[in-house]
Amino acid sequence: MMDFEYQPYGGGAAQATTNQPDHYFGGSYGGGVQSISRREIIEHFAEFRRAIHEGPVTLVQHYYNSNYETMIQNYNTEWPSAEALKEHVGDDALFLTLYKEMYFRHIYASKPGGVSLEERQESYMNYIDLFNLVLAKDQPLKIELPDQWLWDIIEEFIYQFQSFCNFRTKLAKRTDDDIEHLKRNIKIWNVHAVLNVMHSLVDKSRIVEQLEAAKKRSLIGLLKLHTLTSDYYMALKTIECIDLDVTKQNDVCQVFHCIVATNYHAGFCYSMMRNYDDAIRVFVDTLLYIQRSKPIMVAQTFQNDAVNKTADQMMTLLAICLTLNPMRIDETIYLHLKEKFLDKLPKPLLWVGPDGKLPFRDSFAYACPKFISPAPTIFEQRNDSQWAEPFNRQIEVFTEELQEQAYIPDVRSYLKLYTTMNIEKLASFMEKTPQEVKPLLLTFKHKLSGNDAAEKTEEDFQSSADIDFYVDKDIIYIADTKITRRYSDYLVKQILKYQELTRTISEGLTPRHAGNK
């Protein structure tokens, strides 16, 4: 059980408790005419509560999608406080906690000027109350929430933690009262508390089978959290039990954005660990999945913006990975990639644009997650350096990687032309000395050696390059490591499938059906 106390913002007579009452109403932030009356909202949520307790889960899904999506789009709609709703639905702790989770999510999404420190604090304590209701019970709660809602809770929890880290480290914009309050409440949105919540949900799910869906969402939450803190190895270690194949994921998870977000963060971790083969495979499979799922996206407009942005980020990361590690990919994705990055793909890694900037560096800055630092805030530094430091550090890591791999594409292109080659000959092609070429060959070997997740064994490192080589004295011996695909076997399998399908259809066509035809 997780119990945290905090001192109420602004001091006064308010008492510290894990369940601060919500005395204020969601304001009509847009300032326009309300499109939904307050009484109608309360009646809707009263029916929503009944659906949660009585089911079925499809009815809960209907209320969750329709109510939340409608009101999130009407920024001028006033949301009632939990206290006001309590007068109509009774003292239902679970429902009121779930309602406040949606209520604060609405504030985060729509309040002009940003979320206040008090609102961030209230939202955190509400999450602690919600997770305590789940984790403190020996038996599972007698309700069933839709997969979409479970994912939204986990994702919003991580997002609000990320948002608070940025809020806490942008000290140039904080008042003296804000600083003092943050110092007094260092456990609010503490990284250890957030990790504890995620791991507790995973451990609880191993005991209670009913929470299996929550376990997968929690593991994905840990993947995202470790990625944001730049711990890529631990991020991938966390999801070892999750198959990143989108087809298999879709069989066990119907939340479209969850699958896309999982593969985006996993692919990014692979790319940062120089496992470009797996990164490219994950990105291509996910982008194809998004293309095939356009009809679903039309029905789930709530998630469209997030999915489209993530897809654009994956496309950018895919272009970077293919530049560092060229390989054949799906023709549809390749044509889209070529059209989008026609002016960048053929360029050298350290190509400098007309504005004096590195386009690859700028593309990476757009496509990467917005990193955070798990370190405690140094409140004496009243500037934004602590906020920018995690992001800038990862940008510098990527830039150093570009500098180290700048000549690898040239080395690969020359080695692919030969089976044996003298180092002096390679040096003449690259307009360098043999002494300068030898470190480049070592760099080629080192940078393109990684653990292939598709064929991994413990501490089994393989080259992700399409060629391999070794140097004996001054001679380079080159071998093609990629096995040519046997298209005849593939065609034979497809012919057999077609014959089986034709026979099945023919046998199923009875005389009655034939007469009606």
Side-chain angles (χ1 to χ4, degrees):
M1 192 175 202
M2 296 159 290
D3 292 322
F4 299 102
E5 293 187 353
Y6 70 93
Q7 300 178 23
Y9 182 65
Q15 297 180 354
T17 175
T18 58
N19 190 11
Q20 288 291 319
D22 182 10
H23 292 298
Y24 51 91
F25 292 83
S28 52
Y29 303 127
V33 178
Q34 295 183 356
S35 57
I36 304 175
S37 71
R38 183 169 171 272
R39 177 177 294 277
E40 288 176 321
I41 294 176
I42 291 178
E43 291 175 354
H44 273 295
F45 278 109
E47 294 174 2
F48 192 6
R49 170 189 172 274
R50 191 178 303 111
I52 289 175
H53 286 287
E54 299 177 4
V57 69
T58 52
L59 183 60
V60 179
Q61 177 77 43
H62 167 74
Y63 273 106
Y64 175 73
N65 286 340
S66 60
N67 281 340
Y68 182 70
E69 184 178 348
T70 300
M71 294 178 194
I72 201 69
Q73 292 175 353
N74 288 274
Y75 294 159
N76 60 336
T77 298
E78 184 177 282
W79 280 52
S81 70
E83 287 296 312
L85 197 62
K86 183 178 178 179
E87 298 176 3
H88 296 267
V89 302
D91 190 11
D92 188 337
L94 176 60
F95 173 74
L96 292 174
T97 305
L98 289 171
Y99 169 78
K100 290 177 70 175
E101 190 275 331
M102 298 174 64
Y103 169 83
F104 284 114
R105 203 183 330 157
H106 169 71
I107 292 178
Y108 269 84
S110 61
K111 184 177 180 180
V115 187
S116 69
L117 179 54
E118 183 178 12
E119 289 165 339
R120 295 175 188 274
Q121 185 171 268
E122 291 282 347
S123 180
Y124 172 75
M125 299 313 301
N126 184 69
Y127 273 118
I128 296 302
D129 290 340
L130 175 59
F131 292 130
N132 278 336
L133 285 172
V134 175
L135 297 173
K137 301 284 186 180
D138 294 331
Q139 298 296 326
L141 297 173
K142 296 181 179 180
I143 64 169
E144 184 178 0
L145 298 182
D147 285 351
Q148 178 67 61
W149 197 352
L150 290 174
W151 165 244
D152 287 342
I153 290 173
I154 297 297
E155 184 186 40
E156 184 69 15
F157 181 64
I158 300 297
Y159 166 73
Q160 291 189 20
F161 167 66
Q162 179 187 13
S163 176
F164 186 83
C165 288
N166 293 331
F167 177 89
R168 184 184 58 201
T169 51
K170 286 186 177 180
L171 297 178
K173 299 180 179 180
R174 304 284 79 84
T175 65
D176 291 339
D177 289 342
D178 287 342
I179 297 296
E180 289 302 316
H181 182 73
L182 289 169
K183 287 181 179 179
R184 291 195 306 267
N185 297 277
I186 58 174
K187 290 186 178 181
I188 298 297
W189 286 114
N190 180 274
V191 65
H192 297 102
V194 174
L195 283 169
N196 182 36
V197 167
M198 293 291 98
H199 283 289
S200 297
L201 286 172
V202 173
D203 292 340
K204 182 77 172 182
S205 303
R206 291 172 179 164
I207 301 172
V208 183
E209 293 183 1
Q210 184 176 331
L211 296 176
E212 183 64 24
K215 173 186 175 182
K216 288 185 171 62
R217 309 298 178 272
S218 302
L219 289 174
I220 296 168
L222 284 170
L223 163 69
K224 186 174 181 179
L225 183 58
H226 287 305
T227 305
L228 292 174
T229 56
S230 309
D231 191 351
Y232 308 120
Y233 174 80
M234 184 57 66
L236 292 173
K237 199 74 175 174
T238 301
I239 58 166
E240 279 185 325
C241 61
I242 297 178
D243 195 328
L244 296 178
D245 186 302
V246 291
T247 305
K248 295 179 180 178
Q249 285 191 70
N250 197 50
D251 290 339
V252 297
C253 174
Q254 301 300 319
V255 184
F256 184 60
H257 185 223
C258 177
I259 297 173
V260 174
T262 301
N263 286 13
Y264 163 73
H265 288 91
F268 179 80
C269 291
Y270 281 134
S271 64
M272 292 301 286
M273 296 182 69
R274 300 196 306 273
N275 196 338
Y276 301 118
D277 272 9
D278 284 328
I280 292 170
R281 173 178 55 81
V282 169
F283 288 144
V284 170
D285 287 351
T286 310
L287 289 168
L288 286 172
Y289 171 70
I290 293 173
Q291 287 186 355
R292 294 194 302 266
S293 304
K294 289 295 183 182
I296 299 177
M297 291 179 64
V298 172
Q300 298 180 352
T301 54
F302 175 21
Q303 298 181 353
N304 283 3
D305 291 342
V307 170
N308 289 333
K309 181 179 179 181
T310 304
D312 199 41
Q313 289 176 306
M314 282 195 288
M315 188 67 75
T316 303
L317 290 171
L318 177 60
I320 293 173
C321 290
L322 286 172
T323 305
L324 295 170
N325 183 51
M327 60 183 290
R328 295 182 67 88
I329 62 172
D330 181 84
E331 189 70 19
T332 305
I333 300 299
Y334 176 74
L335 291 176
H336 188 190
L337 203 65
K338 188 175 180 181
E339 179 182 352
K340 186 176 180 64
F341 299 100
L342 182 62
D343 59 333
K344 295 181 182 179
L345 283 177
K347 302 290 185 180
L349 293 177
L350 298 179
W351 166 58
V352 178
D355 55 357
K357 297 181 179 180
L358 290 172
F360 276 97
R361 176 184 173 130
D362 292 343
S363 297
F364 177 82
Y366 164 74
C368 69
K370 306 311 176 211
F371 302 101
I372 57 177
S373 173
T377 303
I378 304 174
F379 293 105
E380 289 70 26
Q381 297 180 4
R382 296 295 292 271
N383 53 51
D384 291 345
S385 61
Q386 296 180 77
W387 164 72
E389 192 271 338
F391 183 78
N392 291 337
R393 184 173 64 247
Q394 294 305 309
I395 295 295
E396 291 303 319
V397 168
F398 176 75
T399 304
E400 290 176 5
E401 192 69 26
L402 287 184
Q403 293 171 343
E404 293 175 359
Q405 297 199 36
Y407 293 101
I408 285 182
D410 293 337
V411 173
R412 178 194 287 106
S413 63
Y414 290 126
L415 292 183
K416 286 179 68 71
L417 300 175
Y418 298 87
T419 55
T420 59
M421 184 186 226
N422 192 288
I423 288 183
E424 291 185 359
K425 189 173 185 178
L426 178 61
S428 65
F429 286 157
M430 300 185 67
E431 299 180 352
K432 295 182 178 297
T433 65
Q435 288 71 26
E436 292 174 326
V437 167
K438 288 179 181 179
L440 297 179
L441 291 171
L442 288 173
T443 301
F444 186 100
K445 268 287 192 184
H446 169 65
K447 293 297 183 182
L448 297 182
S449 294
N451 199 0
D452 187 351
E455 303 175 1
K456 66 180 179 181
T457 57
E458 190 69 17
E459 298 182 358
D460 179 22
F461 289 89
Q462 304 177 16
S463 173
S464 63
D466 52 355
I467 61 171
D468 197 6
F469 66 90
Y470 68 92
V471 179
D472 186 5
K473 297 181 180 179
D474 290 333
I475 304 298
I476 308 171
Y477 295 89
I478 304 113
D480 190 347
T481 61
K482 300 298 182 182
I483 301 174
T484 304
R485 184 175 180 180
R486 297 184 62 180
Y487 291 98
S488 58
D489 291 345
Y490 174 80
L491 291 173
V492 168
K493 289 181 181 179
Q494 297 305 311
I495 291 171
L496 293 175
K497 285 184 179 180
Y498 175 75
Q499 290 176 344
E500 179 67 24
L501 181 61
T502 304
R503 183 169 57 255
T504 302
I505 294 174
S506 299
E507 292 174 354
L509 192 62
T510 62
R512 180 174 59 85
H513 292 135
N516 294 334
K517 188 174 177 180

